[in-house]
């Protein structure tokens, strides 16, 4: 049995006790988040915490076991110090927190996505660079009373991209375009529990309707996928056929494949993060073995133990 360890730095303070830590990371959600719950009785009074910890303080969370060491689970900023109902919680956000800075109002004409993103990182500061594999052009993009975070959210909603920060680089890529490390799971060895449903492609008939706004205000539509399937409507950032096809095919890829839907629950080891490949092995049903793109990981650490809920995305070839 492993002995749990943590090392959490908040601003200039190193936490000596925690009630619970929850870290959620996802390629489909713009920002990674962490919630640190503190044992109020140990800190005597909420006011003492509020006097020492403030919004905007840097947060680094390391979790693990004495026997195998710790890994950095989260790095970001305190977004809110909560003292509601006597409980003390620190709500934190990764470096996307720095993008919650207002940008100048402007209307951009014929601006490429890469140029728009470069404008955003310049506007928020912090020395970020951009790695973007999309290449469409906005005929018009309006920034009005918006933050850098708002602009990124709009881009993500319109193209379904994986958007995340790694180091000082803002990444914007197609779903599953960049796959990280491979982590192997055996249902008889390192999976605590699972909530999985195996479905075949023929059971996942989907017709993706892509809509895009034309310069004259009319809406252009294109459809991709299986005729007669469930209809899913998404937006495209640009009305050109190439952009609309990419958006439709990306969404169809997310939704149709032979494989599992759901999640598995594991211990803190092996370490895995969103964007990695989870390779599943089931001795009882070998035909269900396969590799999956990890779309989200939620890590919990408390007196009850450490666990990761690994949410599976589409199946990788």
């Amino acid at each position: 049995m492993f002995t749990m360890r943590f090392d959490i730095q908040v601003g200039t303070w190193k936490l000596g006790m925690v009630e619970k830590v929850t870290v959620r990371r996802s390629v489909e959600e713009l920002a990674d988040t962490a919630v640190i719950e503190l044992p109020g009785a140990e800190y005597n009074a909420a006011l003492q915490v509020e006097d020492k910890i403030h919004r905007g303080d840097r947060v680094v969370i390391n979790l693990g076991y004495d026997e195998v060491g710790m890994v950095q689970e989260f790095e970001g900023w305190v977004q809110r110090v909560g003292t509601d109902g006597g409980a003390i919680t620190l709500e934190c956000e990764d470096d996307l927190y720095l993008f919650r800075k207002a940008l100048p109002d402007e209307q951009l004409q014929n601006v490429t996505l890469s140029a728009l993103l470069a404008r955003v990182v310049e506007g928020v500061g912090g020395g970020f660079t951009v790695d973007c594999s999309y290449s469409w052009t906005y005929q018009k993009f309006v920034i009005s009373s918006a933050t850098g975070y708002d602009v990124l959210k709009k881009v993500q909603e319109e193209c379904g991209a994986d958007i995340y920060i790694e180091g000082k680089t803002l990444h914007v890529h197609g779903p599953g375009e960049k796959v990280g490390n491979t982590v192997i799971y055996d249902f008889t060895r390192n999976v605590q529990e699972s909530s999985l449903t195996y479905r075949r492609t023929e059971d996942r008939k989907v017709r993706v309707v892509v809509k895009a706004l034309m310069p004259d205000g009319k809406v252009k539509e294109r459809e991709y996928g299986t005729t007669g399937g469930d209809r899913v409507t998404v937006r495209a950032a640009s009305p050109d056929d190439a952009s609309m096809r990419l958006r439709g095919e990306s969404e169809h890829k997310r939704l149709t494949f032979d494989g599992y839907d759901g999640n598995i629950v594991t211990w803190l080891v092996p370490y895995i993060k969103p964007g990695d490949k989870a390779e599943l092995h089931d001795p009882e049903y070998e035909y269900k073995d396969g590799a999956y793109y990890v779309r989200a990981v939620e890590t919990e650490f408390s007196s009850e133990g450490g666990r990761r809920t690994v949410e599976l995305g589409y199946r990788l070839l």
Side-chain angles (χ1 to χ4, degrees):
M1 187 173 182
F2 287 170
T3 305
M4 297 174 62
R5 286 185 59 193
F6 70 89
D7 185 334
I8 302 176
Q9 190 81 22
V10 182
T12 59
W13 296 91
K14 184 173 182 177
L15 300 185
M17 296 189 70
V18 295
E19 191 75 30
K20 184 178 180 181
V21 179
T22 304
V23 177
R24 179 165 179 82
R25 306 177 66 187
S26 172
V27 294
E28 296 179 0
E29 298 164 15
L30 204 53
D32 296 339
T33 60
V35 177
I36 304 170
E37 300 177 25
L38 304 178
E42 295 295 333
Y43 286 91
N44 194 19
L47 290 178
Q48 291 183 356
V49 173
E50 290 180 317
D51 186 51
K52 296 177 174 64
I53 298 175
H54 310 88
R55 174 182 168 89
D57 282 349
R58 189 68 172 166
V59 178
V60 179
I61 299 175
N62 295 282
L63 304 175
Y65 304 105
D66 277 339
E67 293 77 4
V68 295
M70 295 185 293
V71 296
Q72 183 173 294
E73 299 282 354
F74 179 85
E75 186 173 11
W77 310 85
V78 175
Q79 187 178 28
R80 178 177 180 269
V81 179
T83 55
D84 307 322
I88 304 171
T89 60
L90 309 180
E91 299 175 14
C92 313
E93 192 172 73
D94 72 0
D95 276 350
L96 260 300
Y97 172 85
L98 302 175
F99 283 70
R100 295 183 182 275
K101 183 180 294 185
L103 299 176
D105 290 351
E106 58 182 330
Q107 181 172 301
L108 304 173
Q109 303 287 342
N110 296 317
V111 60
T112 65
L113 176 59
S114 293
L116 173 64
L117 296 174
R119 210 175 190 94
V120 170
V121 298
E122 180 183 359
V124 301
F128 291 97
T129 58
V130 176
D131 182 356
C132 175
S133 51
Y134 284 102
S135 59
W136 72 72
T137 297
Y138 286 100
Q139 294 179 331
K140 181 174 73 173
F141 194 98
V142 178
I143 299 176
S144 176
S145 301
T147 64
Y149 188 99
D150 295 330
V151 173
L152 295 181
K153 189 67 175 174
K154 178 177 173 63
V155 170
Q156 187 180 53
E157 289 172 351
E158 291 180 337
C159 69
D162 292 345
I163 299 180
Y164 56 93
I165 288 180
E166 196 171 64
K168 280 293 185 179
T169 302
L170 173 68
H171 289 268
V172 181
H173 305 294
E177 180 182 324
K178 291 203 170 185
V179 180
N181 298 322
T182 298
V183 181
I184 298 175
Y185 292 105
D186 186 317
F187 284 88
T188 63
R189 297 179 60 190
N190 59 354
V191 175
Q192 289 191 54
E193 58 187 81
S194 64
S195 178
L196 297 172
T197 302
Y198 191 85
R199 303 183 190 278
R200 299 190 180 277
T201 302
E202 54 264 31
D203 300 323
R204 302 174 186 260
K205 295 180 180 179
V206 175
R207 189 70 172 169
V208 179
V209 180
V210 182
K211 296 185 177 183
L213 188 65
M214 302 286 285
D216 60 5
K218 295 181 180 179
V219 176
K220 178 179 176 181
E221 287 190 17
R222 292 289 186 269
E223 296 189 10
Y224 307 91
T226 307
T227 302
D230 294 336
R231 293 171 67 85
V232 176
T233 301
V234 296
R235 292 186 298 164
S238 176
D240 65 276
D241 288 341
S243 296
M244 295 186 72
R245 175 174 291 279
L246 178 62
R247 182 70 174 101
E249 291 179 348
S250 295
E251 191 65 22
H252 191 260
K253 182 180 180 181
R254 282 184 191 268
L255 300 173
T256 58
F257 55 88
D258 282 348
Y260 285 116
D261 279 334
N263 62 67
I264 59 173
V265 178
T266 75
W267 290 271
L268 296 183
V269 290
Y271 174 76
I272 194 168
K273 65 184 184 302
D276 282 348
K277 179 197 296 185
E279 193 171 300
L280 305 186
H281 294 284
D282 189 340
E284 295 184 5
Y285 303 96
E286 291 185 3
Y287 75 94
K288 294 183 179 181
D289 287 0
Y292 294 82
Y293 183 71
V294 176
R295 62 186 183 91
V297 178
E298 184 165 290
T299 302
E300 296 181 3
F301 183 96
S302 71
S303 58
E304 297 181 357
R307 54 187 273 154
R308 297 189 197 280
T309 301
V310 181
E311 298 178 18
L312 304 181
Y314 61 86
R315 189 169 183 171
L316 298 166
L317 297 178

